[in-house]
Every structure is written in structure tokens, then in C-alpha cells.
Amino acid sequence: MKQKTDRSFDGIAAKFSRNIYSSTKGKLRQLVLLRDLAELDVLHQPCQILDVGAGQGQLALALAGQGHSVHLTDISAEMLQLAQQQAIEQGMAQLTFSQIGLAELAATHKQQYKLVLCHAMLEWLAQPQLAIAQLRQLVTPGGILSLMFYNKDAKRFGNILFGNFDYVAADFQVKKKVSLNPQHPLAPQDVLHWCTQAGFSVLGKTGVRCFHDYLLDRTLQQSQFEQLLTLELQYNRTEPYASLGRYQHLLLRAD
């Protein structure tokens, strides 16, 4: 069996920006995360934030625009370069950048943060359980980890709905992986168990793209986006919809 490795987006950063961040699914994800984070007490005053696996920094830029200081890390030089360009263009001096992986960051970085972000990164890692323990080292006691991961249950549900039965039966293994598809979708029950083991307690859970990805008419994602967003925000913390989100967003307190 081929050994799992962490994924870097060097070489496809521009494609990722175009197909993910600039799409309705990227826009919806951003707005859901900003809604969830806005309710945290820690962000009611200027805060130092660590964004691990920050990619092109859309969320970090938005938080910096609210007056917070954000340190962005990623293993992809191309991703960080795009984030830096945006920061310069927007005059965001309160952003700092480090090209570094999580394991090295946890081993060498002495500072802990009241808020650590880790969004859409776990599913690209070879050892996601270890990553959660490493993230815990970066959160101050009583601080918050904002963790979003690709939901394996939702991926299974969506593929069954669209008739991809062989793909589901093969546990999503294909001979040629699609470059922008997460390598290792995660079972929510596993992630919750790992978080508890690492010393986190769950403050809240939100589904991200509970309806967007299941629309039979995909043109509605664009043409009726505002209506779709309203429904997502209305129901994405309520079961069963929260568990159907293509991603799950957990707010976790470090015990």
C-alpha cells in the first residue's frame, strides 16, 4: 500500500483559487465560518490569532480587517505568496507569514494563542489524529480551536444520491485522484474522539454546505445564492442538516 503523505498545493495554487475559493462553495464556506467566529467572546476585542494551513488567507484577511492580528502558516510557498499579495494590496500590516508544517510548528513555536484556526487541512494530512494533538499545543488553556474538516459521511451520502455506487463501494478509492479532491475524508465520530483525547471539549458544531452540494439543478448555486445562503445559515446548526454538511465546523475549547 502506498504510504500516505501530507499534501502541498504548490503547482496548483491558482487552480485552487479559481475552482474553490472563487466559487459559490468557497464563498458560502467563508460566510458560514465568519458567522460562527463572530459569536466568540474572544473576538469581541483585538486578538492574536494563529491560522494553520491558511492557504491563500481569505479568512485571515477578513479577520485582520476587523482589527485582529493573524499569523498565517502553510507548507505551500505558492499559497502563502498569494496571501501576502492580497495583504499588501489591502494594506493589512497586521498579518505575518511562515512557511512551516504543523509538526515543526508545534515542536518549535513557543507562543500559544487564544484562537487557532485550522480549516480544510486535516483531510490532506497523513496523520490527522496526531495533527489534532499538535494543534492542542498551540492553544492556550481555555482558548478556542476552530476546526473544519471534510465529512466522509456527507461524501458518501452525496455520491449515493448521484448514483456513484461503485465509487462508494470502493470507499472512494480511484486509480487517478482528482487533484482538488481531499485525499482522506474523515469520519466525524473519529474526529470527535481525537479531539476529546487531545484535551478539547466541543462548544459548537455547524454543517458547512448542508444543501449547496445536493442541489439537482447546480445552476441554482449561483442564480439563487442569497436564498441558499439564508437557508444554510438558518438550518446548518440543526440536525439532521448539520451532519449532512460537506464539511463540519467544530468550535473546541482547550481544557
Side-chain angles (χ1 to χ4, degrees):
M1 178 181 294
K2 186 177 179 180
Q3 186 175 5
K4 293 180 179 179
T5 58
D6 294 351
R7 177 64 185 275
S8 168
F9 294 106
D10 281 340
I12 59 170
K15 181 179 180 182
F16 204 94
S17 177
R18 181 175 61 253
N19 293 358
I20 303 296
Y21 293 138
S22 298
S23 68
T24 54
K25 56 187 175 184
K27 182 179 178 182
L28 192 150
R29 183 171 86 179
Q30 173 92 338
L31 292 170
V32 169
L33 289 172
L34 285 171
R35 187 278 309 268
D36 288 359
L37 293 174
E39 298 175 359
L40 294 176
D41 290 341
V42 69
L43 291 184
H44 291 172
Q45 58 187 359
C47 179
Q48 290 192 332
I49 302 168
L50 176 66
D51 193 347
V52 180
Q56 297 176 22
Q58 286 85 350
L59 192 65
L61 287 162
L63 292 172
Q66 297 172 10
H68 306 294
S69 298
V70 190
H71 184 61
L72 291 76
T73 71
D74 204 285
I75 61 174
S76 169
E78 288 187 16
M79 286 289 203
L80 284 178
Q81 184 179 22
L82 290 170
Q84 287 176 300
Q85 290 173 355
Q86 289 292 315
I88 292 170
E89 290 173 7
Q90 297 181 33
M92 297 294 185
Q94 63 271 48
L95 293 174
T96 55
F97 305 84
S98 296
Q99 186 186 353
I100 188 172
L102 174 57
E104 184 181 355
L105 184 68
T108 62
H109 198 62
K110 303 304 181 183
Q111 182 176 353
Q112 290 184 316
Y113 296 80
K114 291 183 178 180
L115 178 61
V116 174
L117 314 177
C118 184
H119 298 148
M121 189 185 86
L122 281 188
E123 58 270 18
W124 298 101
L125 301 181
Q127 296 180 289
Q129 181 177 3
L130 177 59
I132 292 175
Q134 292 166 340
L135 287 165
R136 175 61 186 85
Q137 297 176 50
L138 298 167
V139 185
T140 189
I144 305 295
L145 171 64
S146 174
L147 182 71
M148 185 178 73
F149 64 91
Y150 194 62
N151 180 0
K152 188 173 185 178
D153 292 342
K155 183 173 184 178
R156 181 183 300 109
F157 181 70
N159 276 279
I160 290 173
L161 285 183
F162 291 109
N164 300 322
F165 304 138
D166 291 341
Y167 182 49
V168 173
D171 199 29
F172 313 120
Q173 300 302 310
V174 293
K175 292 181 180 179
K176 183 178 181 181
K177 292 184 181 295
V178 179
S179 61
L180 299 185
N181 277 0
Q183 295 173 328
H184 314 302
L186 300 172
Q189 63 270 26
D190 290 341
V191 176
L192 287 170
H193 179 61
W194 299 338
C195 290
T196 301
Q197 281 188 321
F200 288 107
S201 55
V202 179
L203 297 178
K205 166 187 163 182
T206 299
V208 182
R209 290 169 25 209
C210 300
F211 310 120
H212 176 282
D213 290 25
Y214 304 121
L215 292 175
L216 296 178
D217 183 354
R218 297 299 180 94
T219 66
L220 297 177
Q221 295 171 347
Q222 182 72 45
S223 65
Q224 297 190 38
F225 179 80
E226 293 302 326
Q227 289 176 278
L228 177 59
L229 173 63
T230 297
L231 291 169
E232 293 269 358
L233 294 174
Q234 181 178 352
Y235 291 108
N236 63 3
R237 290 171 173 169
T238 304
E239 295 296 354
Y241 314 111
S243 291
L244 292 175
R246 183 55 59 99
Y247 287 81
Q248 284 193 5
H249 181 218
L250 301 179
L251 290 172
L252 305 156
R253 186 182 302 280
D255 298 327

